[in-house]
Amino acid sequence: MKLLLDLLNIQSVSGGETPMNKFLINLILQRMPNWKVTPIMYSGEEFHDCILLKFGNPKTAVFAHIDTIGFMVRYDNQLITIGGPEVDDGIELVGQDSLGPISCNLKNIDGNLFHDFPRAIDRGTSLSFSQNIRIDDNFISAAYLDNRLGVYNALKICENLENGWVVFSTYEEHGGGSMPFLLKFIMENAPIRQALISDITWVTDGVTHGNGVAISIRDKFIPRRSFIDRVVELAQRSGVAFQLEVEDAGGSDGREIQFSPYAIDWCFIGAPEDNVHSPNEKVALYDLECMIDMYKYLMAHL
Amino acid sequence: MKLLLDLLNIQSVSGGETPMNKFLINLILQRMPNWKVTPIMYSGEEFHDCILLKFGNPKTAVFAHIDTIGFMVRYDNQLITIGGPEVDDGIELVGQDSLGPISCNLKNIDGNLFHDFPRAIDRGTSLSFSQNIRIDDNFISAAYLDNRLGVYNALKICENLENGWVVFSTYEEHGGGSMPFLLKFIMENAPIRQALISDITWVTDGVTHGNGVAISIRDKFIPRRSFIDRVVELAQRSGVAFQLEVEDAGGSDGREIQFSPYAIDWCFIGAPEDNVHSPNEKVALYDLECMIDMYKYLMAHL
Amino acid sequence: MKLLLDLLNIQSVSGGETPMNKFLINLILQRMPNWKVTPIMYSGEEFHDCILLKFGNPKTAVFAHIDTIGFMVRYDNQLITIGGPEVDDGIELVGQDSLGPISCNLKNIDGNLFHDFPRAIDRGTSLSFSQNIRIDDNFISAAYLDNRLGVYNALKICENLENGWVVFSTYEEHGGGSMPFLLKFIMENAPIRQALISDITWVTDGVTHGNGVAISIRDKFIPRRSFIDRVVELAQRSGVAFQLEVEDAGGSDGREIQFSPYAIDWCFIGAPEDNVHSPNEKVALYDLECMIDMYKYLMAHL
């Protein structure tokens, strides 16, 4: 759980993922020797702030995005959004510019957003939700469970993964843009036919807290049914609790797989959360456990 | 016409095109020996549910999408759309889930969609319009003329095609996603500079029943004018009746050619229909004839 | 300035860029011998109406789009838009169809657009704003400063460029489509890691006339922050006046770099204009000067 707390405390809004990139590279280098199989790590300027880990002979890739939603300072104390954050008046925001650390509140005046920091903030400065992590016996609440839990899950998979890609992507919350070059690299080095999206979804009338990880049959986009059927069949055999999701909105790194120039099947699998894209995202610990168990099973059996 | 009736009776909503894929592969294998040139057929898992036919030395490709619009079962008798179907209350829907065949009606309550099947239907089950084909001397009416007529046209082209690609694509009605890998395969195997989109368009104030196939100067997207000019010039020489279409909405597989990493010109050519995306799509038989004749001429002369 | 006037008088709405393509090829062939380094020029049918110039060993590419917004004739005197032009009633439009030159006015009746030309115009004919260039000591006003100034800037860069790509793209105003194949060609021939978008932006409450070229931290899309930081640091060293822009709308050829299958950093740099996408676009001559100076500095130092 120490790892998860660390992940939750690092800022990396879309476009500014360098701090998370550095943290993950350090962490991976430290942990790698204890993993069942030692992966090859690809990172550096030619991958922007993304990281790819290749274990053995991959058939499947797991993608977890390392960016978060947030805000950017425009002119005259105005804020504009990065991704689609909640914009309730009074939300606490933090950041850093050339003059030092920033802590302020979001002002929402008829849909126009401002900060109330007593001095001007440098144009283009990114702000994110002030972090406030709360854990009890059943739930974790914090900002940015989406997608720190997906990243955490990806790191847990690494522990005993024998064959597969584990990939940390960027920009997902703001339209994407790293998946195309990540997929090109994968397909030209150790190609795959199937991918799982390690990300967090929504509590709805059909997907609820405490009933297991959600396997998404569709969101705004529709993956190929024959693949979903195979995933669901394996999920049934796994003995791990899961819920089937059917939505007509929302997207993920799966979207960019769907529209890539490669015939790769994809499926979104993740724990559901409440209070989406707010400082109080809430996930049942049992669902997170199921997510990790399901990925370990599927990466071995798909 | 038997072939067209068969095509109209197969379900293959976007994401679930396997039944149409199987039907087409069987049909092509049976008919191929009677075609003027025997093509090479590419299909199988690495092409998902798509099929490519390479005749001779291709200069031009024809694309026909094999998927249709429809509905998917969400939770509690709710339905969500696949593509953009008509959603009139009372429309008959059919499908199949783990408990057997389904036949029910669409309920549209203030824009929220439900089915009235007496038992719960499996989450994620696809439903499509109940088929009802009506043919008289001048018109054909049915569900899914879009794009069964485009597929039918593509199969008719095969009969005496000497050089060219004939390609059956998937997912078109729901944002696409197969065109990028189809184009990559084509460009790496037998590259082309031009493409025709064999699909069905709309009756409007400028494009009417019985006046020939529509050649589209633009829809939401704008193909390169110099190519359109060349197509229209040939169309004039062909002696086949045609109408010029100019719209600012709608899209096709042409969109994904426009945004592909290849400099391929494209043009949408198809018969116009009334009652678009409803169970009662209606096309003039004369316009369908013109569509087939125009494609045969263009594939020989472009 | 003669060159700029010539550029402003050539019609090339999206999809119909052939006249500008021909003008530029002629001009480049004439001027090339006087440039510090003679580039390799790539053009012709396999590049549609685009042109690429490779100078020395490129590290950076400059992209300038050669298309403009405009209108297309539909049916019954109706007009539809190409890109997002101003649609004020009475605007003068010009064009050409099979019967000869056209000069007419835009009629905007409750948002529906028509022309008032006394005869029918061929379906699919493109119309553009009647050009009216006004220059005084401080400002230039005309139609299509966006993006004739960006093209002009690109041509000025060529004069003493030693290493880099200078690329003229098409379709930008209407969703794009040439950038993907241009990037593929560049990356397979003389790859780059960074790109500058030579285009025109908007006067806003944070970016004003006469205060230098705008360097955009973001528009609708968000380039990687670490690259922007490097550009801004160099801009500070250049001594050339500039303004930092932060917007949440608008796009450019940078969008297609963001979503390309290559890890290429990008930054939009351009003079701001008033009366965007109207016949009266207005730019401060000083800002244009700063734009040219900034590009020359950055192309040498990035």
Side-chain angles (χ1 to χ4, degrees):
Chain A
M1 222 52 171
K2 164 79 171 61
L3 169 59
L4 181 51
L5 301 183
D6 286 347
L7 289 170
L8 285 165
N9 280 306
I10 294 167
Q11 270 196 305
S12 67
V13 295
S14 305
E17 296 94 340
T18 308
M20 182 55 94
N21 169 277
K22 288 192 175 144
F23 174 84
L24 284 176
I25 288 174
N26 272 328
L27 184 93
I28 290 164
L29 289 174
Q30 280 168 35
R31 297 197 163 204
M32 216 185 243
N34 301 319
W35 291 345
K36 186 166 177 183
V37 167
T38 305
I40 302 175
M41 177 162 72
Y42 301 91
S43 67
E45 269 303 289
E46 70 250 57
F47 301 96
H48 283 181
D49 289 315
C50 302
I51 303 167
L52 301 101
L53 300 174
K54 188 178 83 172
F55 293 81
N57 297 308
K59 281 174 61 188
T60 308
V62 172
F63 293 90
H65 72 85
I66 65 171
D67 61 314
T68 74
I69 51 168
F71 299 86
M72 191 180 277
V73 178
R74 193 175 175 249
Y75 320 123
D76 306 326
N77 305 330
Q78 298 164 22
L79 295 178
I80 56 178
T81 55
I82 294 172
E86 276 301 298
V87 293
D88 290 346
D89 191 79
I91 286 177
E92 284 178 51
L93 302 176
V94 295
Q96 173 111 14
D97 74 357
S98 64
L99 296 174
I102 296 153
S103 174
C104 58
N105 292 289
L106 176 67
K107 309 314 287 178
N108 183 333
I109 302 176
D110 302 329
N112 297 306
L113 308 181
F114 304 88
H115 66 78
D116 67 356
F117 203 51
R119 66 162 169 86
I121 304 177
D122 290 347
R123 284 185 187 186
T125 301
S126 289
L127 301 178
S128 50
F129 293 138
S130 172
Q131 188 53 284
N132 176 14
I133 306 169
R134 291 139 288 169
I135 303 181
D136 65 21
D137 285 353
N138 297 314
F139 290 98
I140 178 168
S141 294
Y144 302 129
L145 296 181
D146 169 7
N147 186 30
R148 296 321 190 209
L149 295 187
V151 172
Y152 179 73
N153 175 54
L155 291 167
K156 297 300 282 182
I157 294 168
C158 291
E159 293 173 1
N160 52 2
L161 183 63
E162 296 186 34
N163 298 297
W165 285 97
V166 174
V167 184
F168 299 96
S169 67
T170 55
Y171 313 136
E172 192 270 350
E173 294 288 5
H174 200 84
S178 67
M179 287 295 287
F181 69 74
L182 292 169
L183 289 169
K184 186 172 195 290
F185 183 80
I186 287 169
M187 295 307 281
E188 291 176 357
N189 283 273
I192 49 156
R193 290 261 183 84
Q194 48 200 18
L196 303 179
I197 309 303
S198 176
D199 201 345
I200 296 303
T201 186
W202 309 333
V203 164
T204 59
D205 29 328
V207 172
T208 49
H209 281 313
N211 288 304
V213 63
I215 297 178
S216 179
I217 295 179
R218 62 168 285 188
D219 49 29
K220 183 170 175 190
F221 303 99
I222 303 180
R224 196 161 63 121
R225 189 49 190 259
S226 51
F227 180 64
I228 300 296
D229 287 345
R230 201 151 63 81
V231 169
V232 171
E233 201 187 303
L234 282 172
Q236 276 157 346
R237 275 194 238 156
S238 74
V240 180
F242 70 94
Q243 315 176 62
L244 290 176
E245 178 182 76
V246 183
E247 294 295 331
D248 59 0
S252 73
D253 280 337
R255 187 183 64 82
E256 293 185 276
I257 297 175
Q258 176 78 10
F259 299 123
S260 81
Y262 306 102
I264 302 171
D265 283 309
W266 60 277
C267 180
F268 179 111
I269 302 179
E273 73 174 16
D274 220 344
N275 311 320
V276 175
H277 285 192
S278 83
N280 302 303
E281 295 182 346
K282 182 179 176 184
V283 168
L285 296 172
Y286 174 70
D287 297 335
L288 174 59
E289 241 173 76
C290 292
M291 183 176 177
I292 296 166
D293 292 345
M294 184 63 84
Y295 269 89
K296 290 194 172 184
Y297 184 87
L298 289 175
M299 287 306 285
H301 293 85
L302 250 182
Chain B
M1 221 54 168
K2 164 79 170 61
L3 168 58
L4 181 51
L5 300 183
D6 285 347
L7 290 170
L8 285 166
N9 279 308
I10 295 167
Q11 269 197 305
S12 67
V13 296
S14 306
E17 296 95 340
T18 308
M20 181 55 94
N21 169 277
K22 288 193 176 143
F23 174 83
L24 284 176
I25 288 175
N26 272 328
L27 183 93
I28 289 164
L29 289 173
Q30 279 168 34
R31 298 198 163 204
M32 216 185 243
N34 300 318
W35 292 344
K36 186 166 176 183
V37 167
T38 305
I40 301 175
M41 177 161 73
Y42 301 91
S43 68
E45 269 303 290
E46 71 249 58
F47 300 96
H48 284 184
D49 289 314
C50 302
I51 303 167
L52 301 101
L53 301 173
K54 188 177 83 172
F55 294 80
N57 298 306
K59 281 173 62 187
T60 308
V62 172
F63 293 90
H65 72 85
I66 65 170
D67 61 313
T68 74
I69 52 168
F71 299 86
M72 192 180 277
V73 178
R74 194 175 176 250
Y75 321 122
D76 306 326
N77 305 330
Q78 298 163 23
L79 296 179
I80 55 178
T81 55
I82 295 172
E86 276 301 297
V87 293
D88 290 346
D89 191 78
I91 286 178
E92 284 178 51
L93 302 176
V94 294
Q96 173 112 10
D97 73 358
S98 65
L99 296 175
I102 296 152
S103 174
C104 58
N105 292 289
L106 176 67
K107 309 314 289 177
N108 183 333
I109 302 175
D110 301 328
N112 297 306
L113 307 181
F114 304 89
H115 67 78
D116 67 357
F117 202 51
R119 67 162 168 85
I121 303 177
D122 290 348
R123 284 185 186 186
T125 301
S126 289
L127 301 178
S128 50
F129 294 136
S130 171
Q131 187 54 284
N132 176 13
I133 306 169
R134 290 140 287 169
I135 303 181
D136 65 20
D137 285 355
N138 297 314
F139 291 97
I140 179 168
S141 294
Y144 302 129
L145 296 181
D146 169 6
N147 188 32
R148 296 321 189 207
L149 295 188
V151 171
Y152 179 72
N153 176 54
L155 290 167
K156 297 299 282 183
I157 294 168
C158 292
E159 294 173 0
N160 52 2
L161 183 63
E162 295 186 33
N163 299 295
W165 285 98
V166 174
V167 184
F168 299 95
S169 67
T170 56
Y171 314 135
E172 192 268 352
E173 294 288 5
H174 200 83
S178 66
M179 287 296 288
F181 68 75
L182 292 170
L183 290 170
K184 185 172 195 290
F185 182 80
I186 287 169
M187 295 308 281
E188 291 176 357
N189 284 274
I192 49 155
R193 290 261 183 84
Q194 48 201 18
L196 303 179
I197 310 303
S198 175
D199 201 345
I200 296 302
T201 186
W202 309 333
V203 164
T204 59
D205 29 329
V207 173
T208 49
H209 280 313
N211 287 305
V213 62
I215 297 178
S216 179
I217 295 178
R218 61 169 286 188
D219 49 28
K220 184 171 175 189
F221 303 99
I222 303 179
R224 197 162 62 122
R225 190 48 189 260
S226 51
F227 180 64
I228 300 296
D229 287 346
R230 202 151 62 83
V231 170
V232 171
E233 201 186 304
L234 283 172
Q236 277 157 346
R237 274 194 238 157
S238 73
V240 180
F242 70 94
Q243 313 176 64
L244 290 176
E245 178 182 77
V246 183
E247 294 295 331
D248 59 1
S252 73
D253 280 337
R255 187 184 65 83
E256 292 184 276
I257 297 176
Q258 176 77 11
F259 299 123
S260 80
Y262 306 102
I264 301 171
D265 283 308
W266 59 277
C267 181
F268 179 111
I269 303 179
E273 73 173 17
D274 221 346
N275 309 321
V276 175
H277 285 191
S278 83
N280 302 302
E281 296 182 347
K282 182 178 176 184
V283 168
L285 295 173
Y286 174 70
D287 296 337
L288 174 59
E289 238 173 78
C290 291
M291 183 177 177
I292 295 166
D293 292 345
M294 184 64 83
Y295 269 89
K296 291 196 172 184
Y297 184 87
L298 290 175
M299 288 304 285
H301 293 85
L302 251 180
Chain C
M1 222 54 169
K2 165 76 170 64
L3 167 59
L4 181 51
L5 300 183
D6 286 347
L7 289 170
L8 285 166
N9 280 306
I10 294 167
Q11 270 196 305
S12 67
V13 295
S14 305
E17 296 95 341
T18 308
M20 181 56 94
N21 169 278
K22 287 192 175 146
F23 175 83
L24 284 176
I25 288 175
N26 271 327
L27 184 94
I28 289 164
L29 289 173
Q30 279 167 35
R31 297 197 163 204
M32 216 186 242
N34 301 318
W35 292 345
K36 186 168 178 180
V37 167
T38 305
I40 301 176
M41 177 162 73
Y42 301 91
S43 67
E45 269 302 289
E46 70 250 58
F47 300 97
H48 283 182
D49 288 315
C50 302
I51 304 166
L52 301 102
L53 300 173
K54 188 178 84 172
F55 294 80
N57 298 306
K59 281 174 61 188
T60 308
V62 172
F63 293 91
H65 72 85
I66 66 171
D67 62 313
T68 73
I69 51 168
F71 299 86
M72 192 181 278
V73 177
R74 195 176 174 249
Y75 320 124
D76 306 326
N77 304 329
Q78 297 164 21
L79 296 179
I80 55 177
T81 55
I82 295 172
E86 276 301 298
V87 293
D88 291 347
D89 191 78
I91 285 178
E92 284 179 49
L93 302 176
V94 295
Q96 173 112 14
D97 73 358
S98 64
L99 296 174
I102 296 153
S103 174
C104 58
N105 291 289
L106 176 67
K107 309 315 287 178
N108 184 332
I109 301 176
D110 301 329
N112 297 305
L113 308 181
F114 304 89
H115 68 78
D116 67 356
F117 203 52
R119 66 163 169 85
I121 303 177
D122 289 348
R123 283 184 188 188
T125 301
S126 290
L127 301 178
S128 50
F129 294 137
S130 172
Q131 187 54 282
N132 176 15
I133 306 168
R134 291 139 288 169
I135 303 180
D136 65 19
D137 285 354
N138 297 314
F139 289 98
I140 180 169
S141 295
Y144 302 129
L145 295 181
D146 169 7
N147 187 31
R148 296 322 190 208
L149 295 188
V151 171
Y152 179 73
N153 176 54
L155 290 167
K156 298 299 282 182
I157 293 167
C158 292
E159 293 173 0
N160 51 4
L161 183 63
E162 295 186 34
N163 299 296
W165 285 98
V166 174
V167 184
F168 299 96
S169 67
T170 56
Y171 315 135
E172 192 269 351
E173 294 288 5
H174 200 84
S178 66
M179 288 295 288
F181 69 74
L182 292 170
L183 290 169
K184 184 171 196 291
F185 182 80
I186 288 169
M187 295 307 281
E188 291 176 357
N189 283 273
I192 50 156
R193 290 260 184 84
Q194 49 201 17
L196 302 179
I197 310 302
S198 175
D199 201 346
I200 296 303
T201 186
W202 308 333
V203 165
T204 60
D205 30 327
V207 171
T208 49
H209 280 313
N211 288 305
V213 63
I215 296 177
S216 179
I217 294 178
R218 62 168 285 190
D219 48 29
K220 183 171 177 189
F221 304 99
I222 303 179
R224 197 162 62 120
R225 189 48 188 261
S226 51
F227 180 65
I228 300 296
D229 288 346
R230 202 151 63 82
V231 169
V232 171
E233 201 186 304
L234 282 172
Q236 276 157 346
R237 274 194 238 157
S238 73
V240 180
F242 70 93
Q243 314 176 62
L244 290 176
E245 178 183 76
V246 183
E247 294 295 331
D248 60 1
S252 74
D253 280 336
R255 186 184 65 82
E256 292 184 276
I257 297 175
Q258 176 78 10
F259 299 124
S260 81
Y262 306 101
I264 302 171
D265 283 309
W266 59 277
C267 180
F268 179 111
I269 303 180
E273 73 174 16
D274 221 343
N275 311 320
V276 173
H277 284 192
S278 83
N280 303 302
E281 295 182 348
K282 183 180 176 182
V283 168
L285 296 172
Y286 175 70
D287 296 336
L288 174 58
E289 243 174 74
C290 291
M291 182 177 179
I292 295 166
D293 292 345
M294 185 62 85
Y295 269 90
K296 291 194 172 185
Y297 184 87
L298 289 175
M299 288 304 286
H301 293 85
L302 252 181

